[in-house]
């Protein structure tokens, strides 16, 4: 439901009544075909909020070109008719009579079991702060505005220009921490967590948007926080590509001469001051909790933290303080996309956990009429040529294409539609297919990538097999790229239609595969992530086998004292272990290792070695949570002096010998030991926060203790920044060092000391150390056996890979496998727990089905296969195996394909020298027909 | 906690997080009401040009 807001909630977890207010759209969604006439005729221009106010849109508008739902709306605040009672141009010109000025606000109530809040954030608005000059200097823009300026679909069409002059900028500056980490002018003491990386990305991407060879990108920053997977490499890459990084927080930004460009005043660490001129300044504006969230919190009663983000806890990172109400995304704390997506899945798992008994009670299954048998029938092809509003019709002469299609073999019906994808068009197609007894359909429109499922569904509604459809992409492949040559574009469209007709005539019905799903789950790894996933899956009603390679559950968490929020971990861990071991649906195998795996999503079988004995385990999906370990340092006298410790050693010291620690006078922490170095070019993410937290602990034990944290950047991201602020307030001293000039540890008669160059004092200093704590890297276990077993991916550092870093952050590249915790990348416990719940949610999508449908475009073996096995090597999904069989008393070989693994890519077919393997829907006969048809015109 | 829970869930906000939660739930047997304040879903991510580290088009 769009234009809708949750305004009230009553009832209790499991059974809420949610009240939603929907504002009027003034456009009938059923009738609107998104042709854009209303917007074109609308005389009222307003700032386009989607483009951050850089350009104007009309009062009758669409949010953006690909908006879902693709329906126009009338902005009641600006519409001339709705504000002044005159105009109605849109109503007059709308070809489908979709404009409805009688539309009014509606109140709905819904009965729901749980509520997930994902209302996002508000970008920080720098307007009131004059030192940013945002309001006065046109060449000062915010990060999100710059994002729109770069976008090919944005107001500059991807050609970067200075707002003041419309010319290309050459020198661009990014100012970090605008509205973040700023207690002097704003109340935002926290770090927004995303701006460092978006600035680096923008700086790099800028080069693609300008032909200016002299482009200079400068980023002014306090600490670069590239603490996510692959981000440190991206940062290093940016440095290598000439992006200039200046560690300074500019105090004043002013418009340049005649208010063109900007002057930026800044002071370096060594005290030198500069005023530098730039063509454009981008303010890396941060994330702010929105006012809506506060109002909702007041209404519903869930708690917010001091910054206005929804309060959660480390072991329940997506659970609000109101039972039954969950939260995800930036509404919970500032975070980047992968964590928002991960925690969205986690929230889904948590929101549905309590509703398992009601699963499937309210969902509906779509039914289709029985399929018409086309075998033995002569092809009767219907061709639908889409105008796509003006997208196609303004370039391609669709009437000519329609007339031409009539002349093609087997074609019995042709027509043109304004929008072939509109809802009313689908009903019309069903009618036409039935009345003309069509048995093959060509839609000449846009891309099958987005629209094939829709038209396939329409065919099924009309009683035709979904695979009797062919699409000719006369938009993306034609009208969009040949705008300047309408005549030849029209000829090309004819070629495309002819090829599609040739192919569709040979299309035959295909059946989607159905595989039975084994509803059991396997979890590999018994640390906090693995246990969390196991509990979540078992609570969803699935039998779970949990494998732990050691003799006890709990993993690294036994060695850590507290979460970053200061919650003691031991009691939570012991509770969790008891829950796992006592759960009726969880079987725990300790001293267990997985040895083999056969099968695919829905049906895996593995052999597991438990205490030396082999046992078979069957499962439909698996969560891999094999963890990681602390790096054992080889520098700074580690292992040579008893008071040189890693974080985990020091946590044990604090736990077991607090009285002794209390007597220390001087404690030195060294950050990035083993991280962010050529050998291990990633950030271990948790160590800065851990050091700051340990330092605070020490200050609690003895406020007079001297504590030094030697760091390269302090990466207390998000709300962890509050700990960093507190540590500085308590007198902890932070000294920065460069990797080229590392600190040196020495001992003299048992007394430890650390030498370091202080960049503010500009001299070497020596610090005595009663303890030297090394913030040692997190390193992955050796995962190669697992990778070999499952054919899954790992990155250069040895961490297991997700299918897509942004959109599929817990899915692995192999269907049916999910990952959680440190095996994926270093992370703190709350994020590992969130990821584990997300992995369980994603696995649940598979396990909650009895059967799974896979599409029918799969390879199949023909009589001609002689087992040469060339295709085995090229198959990227390892879906092909070789088998032996007996015929006429002799042993022969041939291949067998696994349809569940096959993705229909066609590499086997292209490689096979003997026509021994084809892909359904793309057989040689079908492709040949298309090629012959293409060559006809020549 | 209600004795007889209801098999539907409301998701408030149609950005990338809300969309992902909705898809997971709908695909595992729950009826979902997705509530979005503006005229279309997509949130801030739809406004981004590209996303790192892959430089994929955000749309």
């Amino acid at each position: 439901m769009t234009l809708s807001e949750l305004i009230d909630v009553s009832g209790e977890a499991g059974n809420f009544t949610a009240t939603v207010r929907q504002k009027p759209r003034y456009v009938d969604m059923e009738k609107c075909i998104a042709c854009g006439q209303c917007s074109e005729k609308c005389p009222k221009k307003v700032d386009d909020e989607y483009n951050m106010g850089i350009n104007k849109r009309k009062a009758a508008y669409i949010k953006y070109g690909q908006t879902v739902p693709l329906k126009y709306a009338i902005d009641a605040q600006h519409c001339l008719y709705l504000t002044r009672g005159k105009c109605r141009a849109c109503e007059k010109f709308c070809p489908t009579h979709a404009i409805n000025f009688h539309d009014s606000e509606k109140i709905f109530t819904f009965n729901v079991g749980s509520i997930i809040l994902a209302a996002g954030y508000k970008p920080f608005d720098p307007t009131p702060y004059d030192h940013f000059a945002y309001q006065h200097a046109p060449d000062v823009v915010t990060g999100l505005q710059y994002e729109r300026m770069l976008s090919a679909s944005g107001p500059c069409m991807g050609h970067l220009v200075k707002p003041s002059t419309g010319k290309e900028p050459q020198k661009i500056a990014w100012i970090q921490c605008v509205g973040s980490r700023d207690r002097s002018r704003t109340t935002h003491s926290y770090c927004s967590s995303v701006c460092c990386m978006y600035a680096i990305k923008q700086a790099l991407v800028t080069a693609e948007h300008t032909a200016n060879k002299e482009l200079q990108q400068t980023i002014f920053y306090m600490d670069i926080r590239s603490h996510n997977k692959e981000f440190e490499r991206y940062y290093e890459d940016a440095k290598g590509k000439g992006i200039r990084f200046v560690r300074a927080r500019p105090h004043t930004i002013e418009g340049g001469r005649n208010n063109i460009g900007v002057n930026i005043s800044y002071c370096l660490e060594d005290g030198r001051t500069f005023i530098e001129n730039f063509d454009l300044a981008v303010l890396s504006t941060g994330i702010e909790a929105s006012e809506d969230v506060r109002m909702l919190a007041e209404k519903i009663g869930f708690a917010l933290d001091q910054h206005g983000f929804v309060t959660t806890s480390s072991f329940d990172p997506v659970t609000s303080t109101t039972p039954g109400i969950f939260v995800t995304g930036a509404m919970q704390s500032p975070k980047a996309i992968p964590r928002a997506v991960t925690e969205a899945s986690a929230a889904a798992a948590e929101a549905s956990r309590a509703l398992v008994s009601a699963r499937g009670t309210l969902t509906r299954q779509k039914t289709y009429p029985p399929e018409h048998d086309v075998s033995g029938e002569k092809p009767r092809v219907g061709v639908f040529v889409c105008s796509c509003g003006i997208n196609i019709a303004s370039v391609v002469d669709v009437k000519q294409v329609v007339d031409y299609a009539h002349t093609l073999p087997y074609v019995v019906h042709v027509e043109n539609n304004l929008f072939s994808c509109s809802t009313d068009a689908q009903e019309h197609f069903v009618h036409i297919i039935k009345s003309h007894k069509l048995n093959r359909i060509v839609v000449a429109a846009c891309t099958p990538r987005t629209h094939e499922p829709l038209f396939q569904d329409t065919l099924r509604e009309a009683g035709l097999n979904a695979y009797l459809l062919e699409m000719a992409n006369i938009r993306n492949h034609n009208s969009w790229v040949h705008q300047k040559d309408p005549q030849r574009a029209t000829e090309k469209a004819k070629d495309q239609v002819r090829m599609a007709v040739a192919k569709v005539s040979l299309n035959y019905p295909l059946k989607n595969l159905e595989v039975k799903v084994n509803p059991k789950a396997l979890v590999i790894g018994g640390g906090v992530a693995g246990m969390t996933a196991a509990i979540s899956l078992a609570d969803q009603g699935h039998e779970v086998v949990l494998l732990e390679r050691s003799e006890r559950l709990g993993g690294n968490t036994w060695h850590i004292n507290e979460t970053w929020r200061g919650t003691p971990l031991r009691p939570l861990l012991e509770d969790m272990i008891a829950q796992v071991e006592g759960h009726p649906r969880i079987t725990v195998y300790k001293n267990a290792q997985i040895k083999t795996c056969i099968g695919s999503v829905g049906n895996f079988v593995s052999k597991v070695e438990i205490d030396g004995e082999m046992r078979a385990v069957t499962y439909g999906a698996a969560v891999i949570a094999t963890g990681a370990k602390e790096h054992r340092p080889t520098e700074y006298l580690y292992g040579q002096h008893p008071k040189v410790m890693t974080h985990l050693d020091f946590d044990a010291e604090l736990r077991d010998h607090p009285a002794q620690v209390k007597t220390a006078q001087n404690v030195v922490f060294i950050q990035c030991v083993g991280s962010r170095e050529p050998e291990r070019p990633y950030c271990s993410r948790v160590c800065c926060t851990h050091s700051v937290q340990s330092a605070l602990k020490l200050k609690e034990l003895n406020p007079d203790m001297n504590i030094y944290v030697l760091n390269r950047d302090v990466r207390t991201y998000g709300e962890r920044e509050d700990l960093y602020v507190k540590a500085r307030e308590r007198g902890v001293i932070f000294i920065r060092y460069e990797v080229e000039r590392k600190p040196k540890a020495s001992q003299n008669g048992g007394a430890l000391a650390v030498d370091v160059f202080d960049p503010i004092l500009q001299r070497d200093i020596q610090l005595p150390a009663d303890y030297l704590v090394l913030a040692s890297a997190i390193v992955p276990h050796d995962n190669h056996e697992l990778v070999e077993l499952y054919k899954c991916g790992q990155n250069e550092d040895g961490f297991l890979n997700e299918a897509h870093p942004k959109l599929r952050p817990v899915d692995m590249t192999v269907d049916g496998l999910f990952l959680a915790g440190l095996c994926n990348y270093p992370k703190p416990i709350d994020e590992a727990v969130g990821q584990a719940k997300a992995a369980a949610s994603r696995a649940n999508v598979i396990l909650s089905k009895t059967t799974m449908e896979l599409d029918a475009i799969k390879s199949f073996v023909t009589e001609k296969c002689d087992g040469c096995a060339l295709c085995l090597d090229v198959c990227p999904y390892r879906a092909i195996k070789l088998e032996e069989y007996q015929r006429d008393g002799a042993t022969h070989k041939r291949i067998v394909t696994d349809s569940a693994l096959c993705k229909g890519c066609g590499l086997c077919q292209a490689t096979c020298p003997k026509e021994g393997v084809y892909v359904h829907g793309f057989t040689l006969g079908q492709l040949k027909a298309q090629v012959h048809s293409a060559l006809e015109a020549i | 906690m209600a004795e007889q829970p209801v098999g539907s869930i409301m998701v408030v906000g149609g950005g990338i997080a809300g969309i992902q939660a909705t898809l997971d739930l709908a695909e595992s047997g729950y009826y979902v009401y997705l509530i979005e304040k503006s005229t279309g879903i997509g949130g801030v991510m739809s406004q981004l040009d590209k996303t790192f580290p892959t430089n994929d088009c955000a749309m």
Side-chain angles (χ1 to χ4, degrees), chain A residues 360-518:
Chain A
T361 54
L362 294 174
T363 48
R364 291 181 290 260
Q365 211 68 37
K366 196 170 177 185
T367 53
Y368 295 95
E371 212 170 278
H372 168 67
D373 181 12
V374 301
S375 58
E377 281 183 11
K378 213 172 98 177
R380 291 178 61 81
V381 181
V383 181
F384 298 92
V385 184
C386 181
S387 295
C388 196
I390 54 166
N391 264 305
I392 293 169
S394 64
V395 179
V396 171
D397 183 342
V398 287
K399 188 172 176 310
Q400 267 197 51
V401 178
V402 167
D403 292 344
Y404 174 75
H406 272 296
T407 66
L408 295 168
Y410 301 123
V411 172
V412 294
H413 176 81
V414 190
E415 65 175 55
N416 167 234
N417 317 103
L418 185 57
F419 280 97
S420 296
C421 59
S422 67
T423 314
D424 53 340
Q426 306 317 302
E427 287 164 20
H428 171 68
F429 287 0
V430 171
H431 170 71
I432 294 286
I433 291 170
K434 285 182 178 166
S435 59
H436 288 74
K437 295 193 168 49
L438 303 178
N439 60 17
R440 302 286 191 286
I441 303 300
V442 169
V443 181
C446 54
T447 167
R449 219 181 131 91
T450 54
H451 281 72
E452 196 174 54
L454 170 76
F455 296 124
Q456 285 188 328
D457 196 66
T458 304
L459 262 69
R460 290 180 71 187
E461 294 273 2
L464 278 186
N465 183 280
Y467 292 91
L468 299 173
L469 168 79
E470 203 58 41
M471 286 185 74
N473 189 348
I474 59 169
R475 187 185 72 179
N476 309 34
H477 292 173
N478 194 334
S479 65
W480 278 359
V481 286
H482 303 303
Q483 283 173 9
K484 290 185 184 143
D485 200 347
Q487 201 183 341
R488 287 171 69 199
T490 304
E491 289 309 310
K492 178 170 167 180
K494 290 180 191 171
D495 292 346
Q496 288 178 292
V497 170
R498 186 177 65 248
M499 288 167 70
V501 169
K503 185 177 171 214
V504 83
S505 304
L506 296 176
N507 280 16
Y508 49 92
L510 293 171
K511 248 198 149 45
N512 280 349
L513 294 175
E514 272 199 352
V515 292
K516 277 217 164 81
V517 176
N518 177 350

Side-chain angles (χ1 to χ4, degrees), chain A residues 12 76 105 137 204 284 388 428 460-461 501 520 539 708 851:
Chain A
E12 58 175 335
E105 186 174 291
L204 279 174
S284 293
C388 196
H428 171 68
R460 290 180 71 187
E461 294 273 2
V501 169
K520 289 184 196 161
D539 283 352
Y708 307 92
T851 56

Side-chain angles (χ1 to χ4, degrees), chain A residues 184-233:
Chain A
S184 66
R185 292 180 173 103
T186 74
T187 55
H188 299 171
S189 58
Y190 57 86
C191 156
S192 289
S193 214
V194 299
C195 334
C196 281
M197 289 318 292
Y198 84 58
I200 297 175
K201 173 201 71 177
Q202 288 176 347
L204 279 174
V205 170
T206 296
E208 297 169 15
H209 290 267
T210 165
N212 197 327
K213 294 270 183 296
E214 304 297 314
L215 182 71
Q216 288 176 35
Q217 306 103 303
T218 305
I219 297 180
F220 291 97
Y221 72 102
M222 300 203 288
D223 298 280
I224 287 292
R225 294 185 169 172
S226 49
H227 47 270
N228 274 2
K229 193 175 185 181
E230 304 295 343
F231 286 12
E232 183 71 15
R233 272 199 182 82

Side-chain angles (χ1 to χ4, degrees), chain A residues 1 3-4 13-14 25 50 63-64 68 111 113 116 118 148 201 208 234 292 345 359-360 804 806 841-842, chain B residues 2 6 8 10 12 17 24 27-29 33-41 46-47 49-50 52 55-56:
Chain A
M1 291 176 69
L3 290 160
S4 300
R25 181 183 276 268
Y50 185 75
K63 195 170 158 191
Y64 58 101
V68 175
N111 194 211
I116 296 175
R148 295 313 300 151
K201 173 201 71 177
E208 297 169 15
Y234 199 82
D292 298 353
S345 286
R359 180 162 68 203
H804 188 280
K806 287 278 182 289
S841 172
R842 302 290 300 149
Chain B
V6 181
S8 63
M10 178 169 287
V12 182
D24 274 13
E27 286 174 16
S28 46
Y33 299 97
L34 173 60
I35 307 296
E36 162 61 36
K37 194 177 168 186
S38 80
T39 59
I41 60 173
S46 76
Q47 291 174 276
D49 173 38
K50 286 185 176 150
F52 51 81
N55 280 355
D56 279 340

Side-chain angles (χ1 to χ4, degrees), chain A residues 862-884:
Chain A
T862 76
E863 285 293 301
K864 294 185 180 169
C865 173
D866 66 356
C868 76
L870 282 174
C871 54
L872 258 73
D873 295 335
V874 297
C875 176
Y877 306 102
R878 301 177 204 228
I880 306 176
K881 285 190 180 63
L882 199 60
E883 68 168 10
E884 288 185 351

Side-chain angles (χ1 to χ4, degrees), chain A residues 575-865:
Chain A
D575 267 6
M576 188 179 258
I577 292 173
Q579 211 184 330
V580 166
E581 296 195 320
H583 203 296
R585 281 188 289 275
I586 301 178
T587 309
V588 179
Y589 293 128
K590 294 175 195 169
N591 298 314
Q593 270 194 306
I594 184 158
K595 289 292 173 193
T596 66
C597 174
I598 53 169
S600 52
V601 55
N603 290 288
F604 291 103
V605 185
S606 284
K607 280 188 186 150
V608 176
E609 192 184 311
I610 305 154
D611 284 325
E613 269 182 47
M614 288 299 218
R615 194 186 286 245
V617 179
T618 65
Y619 50 101
V623 175
I624 298 180
T626 49
K629 59 192 176 197
E630 189 182 55
H631 165 65
R632 307 314 286 175
T634 51
E635 52 192 336
Y636 303 119
L637 302 176
Y638 185 75
Q640 296 169 39
H641 191 290
K643 293 298 166 81
V644 181
M645 299 182 171
T646 65
H647 265 318
L648 295 188
D649 301 334
F650 194 62
D651 265 23
E653 186 81 356
L654 275 168
R655 216 164 40 231
D656 302 337
H657 311 290
Q660 203 181 332
V661 177
K662 196 176 170 174
T663 60
Q665 292 297 306
N666 301 288
V667 176
V668 178
F669 291 82
I670 301 180
Q671 299 306 108
C672 298
V673 176
S675 304
R676 302 180 65 196
E677 294 196 2
E679 193 194 338
R680 232 170 272 105
Y682 61 87
C683 164
S684 292
R685 193 171 172 104
V686 300
C687 346
C688 280
T689 307
H690 201 138
S691 292
V692 170
Q693 210 180 356
S694 299
L696 281 167
K697 202 80 194 165
L698 293 173
K699 281 287 184 187
E700 259 173 48
L701 285 173
N702 175 8
D704 295 329
M705 198 185 290
N706 296 314
I707 302 168
Y708 307 92
V709 179
L710 314 187
N711 65 85
R712 291 173 57 194
D713 289 283
V714 177
R715 294 184 167 174
T716 43
Y717 59 94
E719 294 178 274
R720 290 159 175 79
E721 182 71 9
D722 289 337
L723 293 174
Y724 180 30
V725 171
K726 200 163 148 191
R728 295 198 312 265
E729 282 172 353
R730 301 268 157 96
V732 176
I733 295 173
F734 289 81
I735 300 170
R736 201 174 48 75
Y737 75 88
E738 297 289 341
V739 69
E740 298 80 18
R741 205 170 180 176
K742 281 186 177 180
K744 285 189 184 67
S746 59
Q747 56 173 331
N748 189 358
L752 262 178
V754 179
D755 288 276
V756 65
F757 176 78
D758 186 312
I760 294 173
L761 301 176
Q762 286 286 306
R763 53 168 287 193
D764 288 310
I765 54 171
Q766 188 172 66
L767 307 166
D770 298 314
Y771 285 98
L772 172 57
V773 185
L774 306 180
S776 188
I778 292 177
V779 293
H781 291 299
D782 180 0
N783 285 321
H784 84 270
E785 270 186 37
L786 206 65
V787 168
E788 195 45 43
L789 199 77
Y790 281 118
K791 319 291 183 212
C792 56
Q794 60 182 348
N795 76 352
E796 288 171 60
D797 306 315
F799 292 106
L800 296 177
N801 270 351
E802 54 280 39
H804 188 280
K806 287 278 182 289
L807 298 178
R808 294 177 65 196
V810 298
D811 300 13
M812 297 184 77
T813 43
V814 179
D815 289 347
L817 298 187
F818 304 91
L819 47 69
L822 298 184
C823 65
N824 169 234
Y825 190 67
K827 57 178 67 73
I829 283 174
D830 50 354
E831 291 171 29
V833 168
Q835 205 185 8
K837 290 183 177 183
S841 172
R842 302 290 300 149
N844 187 41
V845 168
I846 294 169
L847 300 175
S848 61
K849 295 184 171 79
T850 47
T851 56
M852 211 169 34
E853 198 167 277
L854 304 174
D855 87 45
I857 306 298
K858 305 284 183 191
S859 59
F860 66 100
V861 187
T862 76
E863 285 293 301
K864 294 185 180 169
C865 173

